[in-house]
Amino acid sequence: MRSSEEAEGFDGEASNTAMVSGASSPYQPTTEPVLARGVFRSVSWNTHYLTSQLGILKISEAVLSFIAFICIETVMMCSPCAGVYLFEFVSCSSFVVTGLLLLIFILNLHTKLTPINWSLVDLINAVCCTLFFFIASVVLAAFNHKSGAEIVAVIFGFVVTLVYGVNMGVCVKLWRLGDQRPLQTSEYTRARTASRGEVETRPE
């Protein structure tokens, strides 16, 4: 009886010693660095996009929209103010949406959100901004008070309209020529067929 009790005592002390040594060991596995690395790896800078045609267009659109917004914000008095308010809304909205799209493409977030057709989103943004900036610029040119800020805003409005129009044309061209989804689907089908054929021939 004593020998068995002593054996149990030794086993208990050994397990307790292992638990204490394991808890105080500096080589404990942690998941925090792995999670941190995973978060940082999911975001990567796409500097090539900044020098691409669409990247340069978006930077120009964001800068020009912001300048136009600043110009229209310096208008102190207006009557009627419909043209000023419309131009202010269009310039601010275009700057925010285009800047957000630019940030998404620079950080490669569009590769993480694959269910969204970002080429189509870019095209819709270019079409809407071209149309709305043209309307807002025409309205402001027709109903302005000949102030310097309004004239400069109208000039920047038409310039931004032209830049968005170029962006729209580039998006349409890339959408027509760069859509490789049918090719990717056929390649995927051929790969699956080949792999199934290899699987089927293995028993032979």
Side-chain angles (χ1 to χ4, degrees):
M1 293 294 293
R2 186 175 179 180
S3 60
S4 61
E5 292 176 356
E6 290 178 354
E8 292 177 357
F10 288 137
D11 293 338
E13 292 177 358
S15 61
N16 292 334
T17 303
M19 292 176 62
V20 171
S21 62
S24 60
S25 175
Y27 300 102
Q28 292 298 318
T30 58
T31 57
E32 294 180 357
V34 177
L35 292 176
R37 289 195 299 269
V39 172
F40 286 109
R41 285 180 181 177
S42 62
V43 177
S44 59
W45 289 93
N46 186 6
T47 56
H48 177 71
Y49 186 80
L50 293 175
T51 58
S52 64
Q53 190 175 14
L54 286 176
I56 295 174
L57 287 173
K58 280 187 177 54
I59 294 173
S60 303
E61 291 160 0
V63 172
L64 292 174
S65 298
F66 185 68
I67 294 175
F69 176 73
I70 292 176
C71 291
I72 204 65
E73 282 295 307
T74 58
V75 176
M76 298 299 177
M77 298 179 61
C78 59
S79 180
C81 298
V84 174
Y85 291 156
L86 177 61
F87 193 90
E88 180 182 6
F89 173 76
V90 171
S91 58
C92 181
S93 301
S94 301
F95 169 72
V96 172
V97 176
T98 304
L100 183 60
L101 284 176
L102 179 62
L103 186 63
I104 288 174
F105 287 121
I106 290 176
L107 296 178
N108 281 328
L109 296 179
H110 62 288
T111 60
K112 310 299 178 183
L113 303 175
T114 52
I116 301 176
N117 189 345
W118 290 103
S119 299
L120 183 60
V121 171
D122 193 10
L123 176 60
I124 293 174
N125 177 65
V127 172
C128 292
C129 289
T130 302
L131 179 62
F132 290 141
F133 248 120
F134 178 76
I135 295 175
S137 300
V138 170
V139 172
L140 185 62
F143 301 98
N144 65 76
H145 307 87
K146 302 298 187 295
S147 64
E150 289 175 317
I151 295 174
V152 174
V154 170
I155 294 174
F156 275 102
F158 283 115
V159 172
V160 177
T161 302
L162 180 61
V163 177
Y164 272 113
V166 175
N167 191 0
M168 179 179 62
V170 173
C171 288
V172 171
K173 181 179 180 180
L174 294 178
W175 185 53
R176 288 179 178 178
L177 300 180
D179 190 6
Q180 301 295 329
R181 289 183 178 179
L183 180 61
Q184 292 177 358
T185 304
S186 61
E187 290 178 354
Y188 176 76
T189 304
R190 289 197 300 269
R192 289 292 302 273
T193 305
S195 63
R196 289 178 180 177
E198 292 175 2
V199 172
E200 291 176 358
T201 56
R202 283 179 184 176
E204 296 178 0

